[in-house]
Structure formats: C-alpha cells, structure tokens
C-alpha cells in the first residue's frame, strides 16, 4: 500500500470516497493541436488554437487520509460528475467525455445525441440528471431551449 499523501490541514475521519475535479493540466502537458500547455501562473494555459489544456484530478480519501491521486488529460473544462457508474466530464457545451474510475478515456455510451450545457443538476429524488441545451438560431428559425432528464440507469 502506498503511504498517504501529504495534507495541509485535517480531513474528518468519517469522510470516505473519491473527489474528482477538473483543473489545469500538468506543467508541460500537450493540447490536441500539439502546442505546449499547462499551469502557468495559476491560470490555465491556452494553446495557439485557443483551446484549454486541462486534466481530471482524482483523490481517494479514506480514514482521514488522502490515499491515492490520479490525473488524466481532458479537454473538458467546466464540470465533472459520476453518473451510471462512469466519470463524465463536460466542456461548456457538447456531449460528455466518459472516463473509467481510473480516469482512462472511454467511448461515450450515454445515449445523448444533442449537445448539453455543462451545468447538469442531479435530481435528489430519482438520482437522474436534469439537463438543458440552447440551440443556436438560424435565419429561418429562432434559438430555442431544450430541457430534458437523463435517467440514472442510462449508460
């Protein structure tokens, strides 16, 4: 077993689980277009194409200690959550990126076919997700709001 990670402060001993967040990529990481990217002065670096170079960060907490840390690249930059047994990461708009518990990228199997906004909310009563997306208007049609519910069992 690995030794616990150093902590500045104290974790409650009954806090158990894995904290997953989206943040800047590691220094020297590379974005999809190959431009150098990473954490610079506390802010996310942008590639020449303007895309953010980010990463998922997961810390397992058990018995008052941070016992493991994982990180993996992701172009998502707005939200990450656990749904139907998978880690899903969202950019501001689009389809989620799907990851395993160990942050390995996987093919998205969520049943969504339209882009959604990153601000998905969990329905406490059902465990499902409430989601929305805004479709841009055209000369022939005005913009419209799409609202839906994503069942907790949908993978």
């Amino acid at each position: 077993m690995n030794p616990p990670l150093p902590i500045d402060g104290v974790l409650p001993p009954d806090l158990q689980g894995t904290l997953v967040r989206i943040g800047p990529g590691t220094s020297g990481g590379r974005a999809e277009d190959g431009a150098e990217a990473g954490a610079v002065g506390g802010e996310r670096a942008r590639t020449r194409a303007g895309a953010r170079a980010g990463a998922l960060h997961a810390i397992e907490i058990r018995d008052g200690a941070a016992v493991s840390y994982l990180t993996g690249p992701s172009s998502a930059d707005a939200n990450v959550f656990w749904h139907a047994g998978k880690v899903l990461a969202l950019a501001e708009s689009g389809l989620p990126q799907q990851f395993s518990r160990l942050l390995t990228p996987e093919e998205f199997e969520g049943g969504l076919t339209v882009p959604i906004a990153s601000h998905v909310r969990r329905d406490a009563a059902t465990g499902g997700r409430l989601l929305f997306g805004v479709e841009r208007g055209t000369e022939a049609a005005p913009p419209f709001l799409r609202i839906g519910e994503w069942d907790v069992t949908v993978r």
Side-chain angles (χ1 to χ4, degrees):
M1 180 194 281
N2 293 330
L5 301 170
I7 298 175
D8 183 11
V10 177
L11 291 170
D14 59 339
L15 183 63
Q16 312 288 324
T18 302
L19 171 69
V20 181
R21 70 175 288 267
I22 288 186
T26 58
S27 180
R30 295 205 175 261
E32 289 181 19
D33 72 351
E36 196 73 23
V40 178
E43 295 189 22
R44 293 182 217 179
R46 293 187 179 267
T47 66
R48 286 188 297 272
R52 290 182 173 161
L56 295 176
H57 303 271
I59 300 171
E60 183 182 357
I61 299 169
R62 190 173 349 112
D63 302 323
V67 297
S68 69
Y69 171 78
L70 294 171
T71 187
S74 172
S75 60
D77 63 354
N79 195 3
V80 62
F81 56 93
W82 184 259
H83 184 77
K86 298 294 179 180
V87 176
L88 300 178
L90 286 163
E92 283 297 326
S93 178
L95 293 177
Q97 294 177 336
Q98 180 173 305
F99 296 85
S100 73
R101 182 177 173 87
L102 298 176
L103 304 185
T104 303
E106 298 179 343
E107 181 86 23
F108 176 63
E109 302 169 346
L112 295 175
T113 58
V114 296
I116 60 172
S118 62
H119 308 289
V120 176
R121 295 292 179 248
R122 182 177 177 275
D123 182 329
T126 68
R129 301 286 171 165
L130 303 174
L131 44 93
F132 70 95
V134 176
E135 296 288 330
R136 288 186 181 179
T138 65
E139 288 185 23
F144 69 94
L145 178 64
R146 183 185 312 266
I147 301 173
E149 183 175 2
W150 199 10
D151 189 282
V152 70
T153 62
V154 174
R155 292 184 184 269

